[in-house]
Amino acid sequence: MVRTWKVGSDEDCIRSQADQSLQIEGGVYCNATWDTILCWPAARVGTVTFLPCPQFPGLDATKHGFRRCGADGRWEGKFPGDYSNPKGYTNYTNCYTPEAYDIWKKFYANKSSAQRQMIKDIVVGTRTMEIVGLWVSLVSSLISLFIFSYFRSLRCHRTRIHRNLFVSISVQTIVRLILYVDQFVAQAGGRPTVGTTGMSEGATIFETPVLCEFLYAMIEYTKTVQFMWMLIEGLYLHNMIAVSVFSGRPNYIVFYLMGWGIPLPFTVVWVVTMAFSHTARCWFPYYFLPYYWIIEAPRVAVIAINLLFLLNIIRVLVIKLRRSQTNEPQVTKVRKAVKAALVLLPLLGITNFVVMTDPPADDVIKFGIWSYTTYFLVSFQGFLISLLYCFLNGEVQDTLRKHLCMKSSVRWDTSLTSIRVHPPPRLDKNRRSSALPISNGNVVPLLRGMIVRRESRM
């Protein structure tokens, strides 16, 4: 029968193991002890005690950890005859899955205790920053989605693509936050300190079969959806500025199939492959497995294509600026074109290339720089896109300002018992929002002019 003790101290462990300690008659024995993970029962001297591995990410619960009881009734340390640690040493090496063991060997095996502590602090710090960034991105994405959906004057082809991108970002962020909140609740409730032989099923998402895998599959699907809509952003922008691939109104059926349909078969193939080839709970750590390239390869392709789009856009902008009748040096014109194109990096997803590089394992400082840079760009991505293409957009600011003025005008007229509603000025169709970012307080004039002229002919 599987027994579970939820303990949080040596006292709780000894109390839960009192009956078993009494069964050891006479002689010297090692007391029951809690190693901050498992509660180990009392053991006879010279024996080795085995317990099932805890159900933590990266550990195989079907395997066993062990510890040795020394000849004088004390738990042995890492090596025979070592009693420097009063609690002894628990060997969990056999508990690791092959992938998790490779990670441990890469980042921890050859590090000093101070370096290991630095790595742990970096992991905790980046996770905190990631959660903050996800909440900020979620709120800003939902606000941007509402603004582009509510105001008619802001509805155009480009903002329609923006809306789908914000939906994919929001869904992925919500699912990720659900998993993180579940982990936080589990830790706050003492779940990391588990009993001797197992944990109860269904206490957390990680311990709930199928649900955990489904949520991670949703994260990867919406992540690929997000990349596909970034590809559509790049395709549409490149079409407006550089070439004329399509004529007339964009075909949104093709766009929806690209954005929401293409990621589905890749995700299904990956899920089926993982279900039959990887038995670890929650597929941890699946992003280090070769099967991950089933869904990662399309994202790398999107970044490569959008990078080509961006380089061609810069080329066109440089040509336009060189032809402009100004007294500025050519270097200054090229610098302006590059600056105008740099604001497109978050929208096109090119900043995600940092995530796809391997983290440096030899230098802790480099690992910290990589971790903070990567998690900042990923977690605040929704906020950066909202900031550049909604909150700092001139048309959006004008629309919100006119809406607030109209509301205040209605309240003022009502207070005078003479309601006079003044409708906002009607925007010319050729001046409808292109949802382009702001540069130095004004909409980037060259990009905006080129796109508006093209959209007005659709």
Side-chain angles (χ1 to χ4, degrees), residues 301-320:
V302 168
I303 292 179
I305 295 172
N306 274 347
L307 181 60
L308 294 177
F309 286 159
L310 181 64
L311 293 176
N312 198 35
I313 289 171
I314 294 175
R315 182 189 65 83
V316 173
L317 292 178
V318 170
I319 294 174
K320 296 287 185 182

Side-chain angles (χ1 to χ4, degrees), residues 88-299:
Y89 171 76
T90 305
N91 193 326
Y92 288 110
T93 305
N94 190 51
C95 292
Y96 289 107
T97 61
E99 298 79 19
Y101 183 71
D102 290 340
I103 296 173
W104 178 84
K105 217 168 33 169
K106 182 178 180 180
F107 291 99
Y108 288 95
N110 299 321
K111 302 292 191 304
S112 64
S113 57
Q115 289 176 322
R116 292 182 181 183
Q117 186 59 45
M118 285 183 63
I119 292 177
K120 291 179 181 178
D121 294 340
I122 290 171
V123 171
V124 173
T126 52
R127 173 54 61 88
T128 302
M129 183 185 67
E130 182 186 11
I131 293 175
V132 173
L134 289 174
W135 279 111
V136 173
S137 292
L138 177 61
V139 173
S140 58
S141 297
L142 292 177
I143 293 174
S144 300
L145 184 61
F146 171 78
I147 290 174
F148 285 139
S149 301
Y150 181 77
F151 296 102
R152 289 179 176 270
S153 60
L154 297 176
R155 297 178 188 173
C156 63
H157 299 310
R158 187 151 174 74
T159 56
R160 188 172 179 179
I161 298 174
H162 285 347
R163 290 198 300 270
N164 283 274
L165 177 59
F166 284 128
V167 169
S168 64
I169 292 175
S170 300
V171 173
Q172 184 202 31
T173 304
I174 289 172
V175 177
R176 196 176 293 276
L177 285 172
I178 289 174
L179 289 169
Y180 289 167
V181 169
D182 175 74
Q183 293 172 9
F184 174 79
V185 172
Q187 293 176 3
R191 293 300 298 172
T193 57
V194 296
T196 57
T197 56
M199 297 168 66
S200 57
E201 293 290 328
T204 64
I205 291 178
F206 178 77
E207 301 160 27
T208 306
V210 180
L211 176 61
C212 184
E213 289 81 358
F214 170 77
L215 290 178
Y216 277 108
M218 280 294 298
I219 286 179
E220 298 304 329
Y221 169 72
T222 52
K223 186 176 179 180
T224 308
V225 168
Q226 176 181 321
F227 271 83
M228 293 306 300
W229 280 104
M230 287 176 175
L231 175 62
I232 295 171
E233 294 272 8
L235 176 65
Y236 182 80
L237 186 63
H238 184 260
N239 181 44
M240 292 293 101
I241 295 176
V243 294
S244 297
V245 178
F246 303 104
S247 60
R249 185 188 178 104
N251 191 335
Y252 283 102
I253 295 179
V254 175
F255 282 176
Y256 287 135
L257 288 176
M258 287 179 59
W260 297 100
I262 290 180
L264 193 58
F266 289 100
T267 307
V268 170
V269 170
W270 175 70
V271 168
V272 172
T273 303
M274 291 296 296
F276 284 97
S277 62
H278 197 62
T279 58
R281 178 165 294 192
C282 258
W283 297 333
F284 183 90
Y286 64 82
Y287 33 83
F288 286 98
L289 297 174
Y291 311 120
Y292 191 58
W293 280 101
I294 297 175
I295 49 179
E296 189 74 346
R299 301 167 190 165

